[in-house]
Amino acid sequence: MEHFERTLRILSDSIRSIREEEFNALKQDCVRTLRAGNKIVASGLGKNVPICEKFVGTLNSIGIQASFMHTNSAVHGDLGMVRDGDLVIVLTKSGETSESVHLVSLLKKRKCKIWLLSFNRASTLYHELPNHLIVELEHEGDQWNILPNNSTMLNLIVLQELAMQIAKEQEVPLDALRQNHPGGAIGVTLGNGVK
């Protein structure tokens, strides 16, 4: 169990490293974006793809406008989903990934708000973007400290908490979930649908 305990300690330390003012600023920007009738876009590549999809799926399930844009596919037409007034959250652990840096350079030419979710306060994107939420990470948890293991778990935790806070700020009613989730055990629990 000591391996699990070490992982939990690392994750806990990382969560405590998050600056409350950065998280709150991101939350408020998301809420303002939605109240203006625009949407939230999450963009990542590699192991961050399913993390972004989970975040977007959670928001969609409660009726909040959100889309996933693969960082690589953005330059092949997917940039078209980003409209004036949208907010784009770019996930990149290093803040140096060439695809992410290129994407940000393209987004800066559009009338959208860009947020960086990263683990590096010394990166190119940290210095380029005024809006950033940085998580400090002691170790990835693998034997080489290379695999995107603890970092992706932390991205999931941060984005899911963001989704919960957005839902609270937007005063999303349970009926929104009932309407959008008629299937499975959740649908049955909410009084509609079948397993």
Side-chain angles (χ1 to χ4, degrees):
M1 297 302 292
E2 65 184 71
H3 302 293
F4 289 106
E5 290 172 359
R6 178 173 183 264
T7 297
L8 288 172
R9 181 192 59 75
I10 290 172
L11 296 178
S12 180
D13 289 346
S14 291
I15 294 297
R16 289 190 181 95
S17 78
I18 296 171
R19 295 180 182 176
E20 188 173 2
E21 64 271 18
E22 290 181 354
F23 182 84
N24 287 338
L26 172 56
K27 177 185 69 175
Q28 292 305 323
D29 272 354
C30 287
V31 170
R32 278 191 289 269
T33 296
L34 295 167
R35 289 180 180 169
N38 303 112
K39 69 179 176 296
I40 298 168
V41 177
S43 184
L45 69 165
K47 301 304 182 290
N48 278 322
V49 168
I51 306 302
C52 292
E53 290 176 333
K54 173 66 170 77
F55 171 63
V56 167
T58 296
L59 292 177
N60 287 167
S61 74
I62 54 177
I64 289 177
Q65 290 190 76
S67 299
F68 166 62
M69 179 173 66
H70 195 292
T71 303
N72 284 337
S73 298
V75 298
H76 297 284
D78 284 3
L79 265 174
M81 76 174 69
V82 180
R83 307 296 172 87
D84 289 356
D86 286 348
L87 183 149
V88 183
I89 304 172
V90 177
L91 279 67
T92 164
K93 181 186 174 185
S94 66
E96 297 288 351
T97 310
S98 59
E99 297 94 333
S100 299
V101 172
H102 182 50
L103 173 60
V104 166
S105 72
L106 297 172
L107 290 171
K108 287 168 78 173
K109 299 174 183 176
R110 296 179 173 237
K111 296 177 181 177
C112 64
K113 177 152 278 192
I114 312 166
W115 270 85
L116 172 68
L117 176 53
S118 183
F119 294 78
N120 184 5
R121 290 190 185 275
S123 72
T124 297
L125 288 183
Y126 178 85
H127 292 296
E128 279 193 20
L129 294 173
N131 304 310
H132 37 249
L133 194 159
I134 305 299
V135 184
E136 296 174 11
L137 178 60
E138 172 191 332
H139 202 280
E140 281 285 13
D142 63 283
Q143 59 184 316
W144 312 281
N145 191 26
I146 292 176
L147 291 174
N149 178 48
N150 287 336
S151 58
T152 51
M153 283 194 284
L154 286 161
N155 280 338
L156 179 62
I157 291 168
V158 169
L159 289 179
Q160 286 304 113
E161 182 59 27
L162 178 61
M164 297 302 99
Q165 292 300 318
I166 291 171
K168 184 177 179 181
E169 289 282 333
Q170 291 289 85
E171 298 181 346
V172 174
L174 187 59
D175 279 346
L177 183 58
R178 181 178 289 115
Q179 182 179 5
N180 296 322
H181 209 306
I186 291 177
V188 172
T189 299
L190 296 174
N192 55 325
V194 293
K195 289 185 182 179

